[in-house]
Amino acid sequence: MKIKINKKIISYILILVIGIGVGAGGMLMKDKFLPNTGQDTAESHESTKDEIGPLVELSEFTINLDGGGIVKTKVVLEGVDKKSSEEIEEKAAFLEDKVIAVMGSKDLEDMRTANREDLKKELVTELNKICDDQIQDVLFISFMYD
């Protein structure tokens, strides 16, 4: 009994094996010659999230809310590393202006406790546009709304 092997199937299998070998080899070579890629940076940034960065206190704010109401708050920014505190302090006036703009665009319902985490995330995103991703968290030291 002879088994007939199709040359076309063998060539497909051979191409698949070579492709897998080249892909695996490429990944190993990439790690050896290019160890610091964007993914590694993102992972290292996440690992620094567990560490407390330098804290920079901003002015106390009294902000008129959209649609009526006010919020009075004291904000502290957490930097990603020791160098970040210098940049945050240098740009404090711009950061304070952005805090007022973001919070002033919200209504009273947005200031409630349930929505505060979303507000903090939005503030981090907007403030990082000014400080080139040097802020890892926004902390509210005091927070009153009416």
Side-chain angles (χ1 to χ4, degrees):
M1 185 171 163
K2 279 188 163 181
I3 298 177
K4 216 175 190 185
I5 299 176
N6 191 344
K7 290 183 181 181
K8 202 174 194 181
I9 292 175
I10 290 176
S11 63
Y12 286 139
I13 292 173
L14 186 60
I15 289 172
L16 179 66
V17 169
I18 291 172
I20 290 172
V22 169
M27 291 300 292
L28 292 173
M29 296 303 282
K30 177 197 71 86
D31 288 342
K32 182 172 182 161
F33 292 109
L34 302 170
N36 196 7
T37 63
Q39 186 177 13
D40 294 337
T41 305
E43 290 171 3
S44 68
H45 182 66
E46 287 176 12
S47 68
T48 59
K49 181 67 177 154
D50 296 336
E51 300 173 17
I52 297 175
L55 301 175
V56 178
E57 193 171 311
L58 298 180
S59 301
E60 186 171 66
F61 301 98
T62 302
I63 303 166
N64 292 319
L65 299 173
D66 189 33
I70 61 168
V71 65
K72 185 174 183 179
T73 186
K74 182 99 172 150
V75 175
V76 173
L77 303 178
E78 180 184 2
V80 293
D81 56 27
K82 291 182 181 182
K83 294 181 209 173
S84 63
S85 65
E86 294 172 11
E87 184 171 354
I88 293 169
E89 288 172 1
E90 287 175 3
K91 296 180 178 180
F94 298 103
L95 296 169
E96 290 173 356
D97 180 64
K98 185 58 83 172
V99 169
I100 292 170
V102 169
M103 292 182 73
S105 70
K106 306 296 178 191
D107 61 20
L108 197 55
E109 184 61 33
D110 293 326
M111 296 299 123
R112 307 240 188 259
T113 305
N115 297 329
R116 204 163 304 148
E117 284 304 312
D118 293 334
L119 176 61
K120 288 173 76 170
K121 288 177 187 176
E122 182 179 355
L123 282 169
V124 168
T125 301
E126 291 299 316
L127 296 176
N128 273 326
K129 291 177 183 177
I130 297 170
C131 273
D132 301 320
D133 296 324
Q134 296 297 308
I135 298 170
Q136 85 179 357
D137 202 2
V138 172
L139 308 167
F140 293 113
I141 302 306
S142 66
F143 197 94
M144 292 178 24
Y145 57 88
D146 186 28

